[in-house]
Amino acid sequence: MNSTPIRELPKAMAKISTPRSAAADDAATSSGKADKQPYGAPALEKGLDILELLAGLSHGVTQSEIAQLLGRSVQEVYRVMMVLERRGFIQRRPGDDGYFLSNRMYELAHLYPPLARLIDMATPLMNSASVIADQALHIAILDTTFIRVVAQVDSPAPLGFRLRVGTKNPAMSTSSGRLLVAFQRQAVKDWILGDLRRTRSAEEAEGLILRIEKIRTRGYEMVTGEGLQGITDVSFPLLDSTGFAQAVLTMPFLSAARQKVSFDDACEVTYEAAEKITGALGGHQPEVRFPLARIAARRPPDRVD
């Protein structure tokens, strides 16, 4: 089977890092400049470049095509490709000279369940942020049309508020849930909003749908007194590399007589924690302006901003 001509390869290949020669790789490993990494592994770099290239293709490409796309010689990529093929990361179909990405990367990723990975990675950041903000924090995920709390850290303050891990609530009735819905893929969003239209009055449903659109634009959700009077829930999305929310980080802010940290400072600390978690997931946190405008305590929770 003939491989696809170079000129027909997807434009997505433009995202591949700038081509470098072997000499440039060697120079990068020995350079003492401050803007260079202290250590380099040219062969590993080549291997990762090849994997990223093949991940963006739906058809096979030959060694010479891979070398040309990466701006390298065939000799530079040959040994690396032999190792990747031997280890099962790339493969060729019978009778085809073109290389494909195998399922090996998928298998490795699923040896460590995504939710467990998220919780393990986020918990230290939540603990640190909780101490600085002097507030409790929790992470929730979508569970059909509900949200479920999957991780929680207590406030270090003598008096605090916490949600038990496993707590489940209707998504559209919580700060966390509305934010999660706002940052879902369109198909998931349509399904949840369709259920909303069936279970709420037309006026209430349309008001919440408009609210979801505004949440997506501003990048966070905040409401006072929705679950308990005196609690202001502030939620930030935890986004993956595709820009959709895997989970949400929420601070149920409880004001105390001897308040160590202001509301706005606690919001910034929570946002910074969400930003770090999102970065670890490969995403980019929406930019939010501080200080956040507080919502009046008596304002109805489902009222559109």
Side-chain angles (χ1 to χ4, degrees):
M1 182 183 296
N2 293 328
S3 58
T4 303
I6 294 294
R7 63 178 180 278
E8 296 179 8
L9 293 176
K11 294 182 179 178
M13 294 306 97
K15 295 189 293 183
I16 297 297
S17 56
T18 303
R20 295 181 302 173
S21 65
D25 281 332
D26 295 337
T29 62
S30 60
S31 173
K33 295 181 180 179
D35 60 345
K36 298 292 184 182
Q37 293 295 329
Y39 300 102
L44 177 59
E45 293 277 2
K46 295 170 192 173
L48 294 175
D49 284 346
I50 292 168
L51 292 175
E52 290 177 353
L53 173 67
L54 295 181
L57 298 175
S58 59
H59 55 268
V61 283
T62 65
Q63 283 189 26
S64 60
E65 289 173 335
I66 290 173
Q68 183 175 341
L69 285 167
L70 295 178
R72 298 181 182 275
S73 68
V74 174
Q75 290 75 16
E76 284 184 87
V77 302
Y78 172 76
R79 287 192 297 176
V80 176
M81 291 186 65
M82 292 301 99
V83 173
L84 290 175
E85 185 175 20
R86 176 168 54 83
R87 298 292 294 268
F89 287 92
I90 63 177
Q91 61 186 19
R92 287 177 286 182
R93 294 172 183 169
D96 188 351
D97 291 334
Y99 284 88
F100 295 81
L101 193 66
S102 72
N103 290 326
R104 180 64 175 154
M105 299 284 286
Y106 179 85
E107 293 169 357
L108 288 177
H110 284 76
L111 289 176
Y112 194 179
L115 182 56
R117 184 166 62 248
L118 169 64
I119 294 172
D120 286 352
M121 176 269 297
T123 298
L125 295 170
M126 292 172 66
N127 280 322
S128 177
S130 176
V131 170
I132 298 171
D134 210 34
Q135 297 290 329
L137 296 170
H138 63 261
I139 286 178
I141 61 171
L142 267 182
D143 185 353
T144 63
T145 59
F146 293 80
I147 61 147
R148 187 181 295 277
V149 175
V150 295
Q152 191 272 341
V153 295
D154 288 331
S155 165
L159 181 65
F161 173 80
R162 70 191 297 266
L163 278 178
R164 177 175 52 84
V165 171
T167 298
K168 187 176 179 180
N169 286 302
M172 297 302 290
S173 298
T174 65
S175 169
S176 299
R178 288 188 294 271
L179 185 68
L180 271 171
V181 173
F183 282 89
Q184 291 303 303
R185 289 177 170 82
Q186 193 60 48
V188 176
K189 191 184 301 183
D190 289 344
W191 173 57
I192 295 174
L193 297 182
D195 181 76
L196 176 69
R197 291 187 175 96
R198 289 190 297 271
T199 57
R200 305 282 187 105
S201 68
E203 182 180 1
E204 187 178 16
E206 292 308 313
L208 283 169
I209 290 170
L210 178 58
R211 183 172 188 144
I212 291 297
E213 293 174 357
K214 292 189 174 183
I215 291 171
R216 177 69 187 234
T217 299
R218 67 174 175 253
Y220 69 93
E221 170 68 320
M222 177 172 62
V223 63
T224 297
E226 184 166 49
L228 288 175
Q229 291 297 321
I231 299 290
T232 299
D233 292 311
V234 183
S235 300
F236 298 103
L238 304 178
L239 307 178
D240 60 21
S241 59
T242 64
F244 298 108
Q246 285 196 13
V248 57
L249 178 65
T250 297
M251 172 186 66
F253 183 87
L254 175 64
S255 182
R258 297 180 180 179
Q259 193 68 46
K260 294 181 179 179
V261 183
S262 71
F263 172 78
D264 288 317
D265 287 344
C267 286
E268 287 201 58
V269 170
T270 305
Y271 174 81
E272 289 170 1
E275 190 174 38
K276 291 177 182 177
I277 297 171
T278 287
L281 293 173
H284 298 280
Q285 196 71 11
E287 291 187 8
V288 173
R289 291 186 177 182
F290 291 94
L292 302 181
R294 294 196 64 175
I295 300 175
R298 295 183 179 181
R299 189 175 191 176
D302 288 337
R303 178 175 172 180
V304 178
D305 293 348

